Structure formats: structure tokens, C-alpha cells
Amino acid sequence: AMGISQDDTHLFVCSREGYVLTFSIQVVMDGVNIIPKSTLCAMNRELTVVTQTELRANDDSIQSLNAKIKDVEMHADYRLMLKDNYYAGQIEKLKAENAGRVEGLETEIS
């Protein structure tokens, strides 16, 4: 397996024996120089090798979590809409109940 760092400055090559070879990539006038830097054994605690199967499983998990998040957001939006409708109804009810009072106060003031 091979990979290039995000900043395109290093090339990583993994062997079947569990070694990771690191190369420095340098762009020069007449092309590209690839310079060996180091060899890491897979037993190094800082090294993590991830297989495509694991990546697919993680991708599936992420998609599942995103679906759950959308579901929770939809339920929260629905509950908020129900509360909005309830309080809008309560406001209209209070307006109707107190409409006569408001008119009475307006006539007393004028």
C-alpha cells in the first residue's frame, strides 16, 4: 500500500512484512526527487495500519450516525412546531377572552 501526506511532502509505502518506508518528496527544476527518510516497524506504538474493510465499516457507522442525527433533528423540529402551534392557540384564546376588556379600557381612557 502507498500513500502521500496531505501536504504532498512525504510518500509512505507499507510492506507485507509490516514495515512502513517513509520518503521525502522534493520538487526540483528537472522533476521530483524522492529521498528515503526512515523505516518504521509495525510494532511501533505510534503506527496504526487501517485496512479498507475497517474504513468501510467506519464509513457505514458514520452514515448510520448521520441518519440517527437527522432523525433526532426531525423529531426535535416536530416537537418545536407542536409547541409553537400550542402557544399560538393560547395567545389567540387570551386575545379573544380579553378583547372586551381592552375595548372597555379604551373607552374609559377616551
Side-chain angles (χ1 to χ4, degrees):
M2 290 179 29
I4 295 180
S5 63
Q6 289 182 351
D7 60 359
D8 294 332
T9 60
H10 291 87
L11 170 68
F12 302 96
V13 179
C14 297
S15 71
R16 288 187 177 141
E17 293 80 25
Y19 289 93
V20 177
L21 305 171
T22 305
F23 298 91
S24 178
I25 300 172
Q26 297 175 350
V27 178
V28 293
M29 291 288 234
D30 57 348
V32 176
N33 285 341
I34 299 178
I35 303 163
K37 285 195 80 170
S38 64
T39 302
L40 299 174
C41 177
M43 298 303 291
N44 186 337
R45 291 183 184 174
E46 295 180 13
L47 178 64
T48 303
V49 177
V50 181
T51 64
Q52 281 188 335
T53 305
E54 291 171 323
L55 289 176
R56 282 190 207 110
N58 286 342
D59 189 45
D60 291 344
S61 296
I62 289 170
Q63 288 178 2
S64 175
L65 288 173
N66 283 335
K68 288 179 184 179
I69 288 169
K70 286 181 182 181
D71 190 44
V72 168
E73 287 173 344
M74 183 181 67
H75 287 294
D77 288 345
Y78 180 71
R79 288 194 318 256
L80 187 59
M81 182 192 67
L82 289 176
K83 285 182 182 180
D84 285 347
N85 289 340
Y86 171 78
Y87 286 115
Q90 291 296 317
I91 290 170
E92 291 302 317
K93 181 180 171 184
L94 290 171
K95 282 181 181 178
E97 290 174 358
N98 294 307
R101 284 184 173 168
V102 172
E103 289 174 9
L105 290 173
E106 287 174 349
T107 55
E108 285 180 25
I109 293 174
S110 28

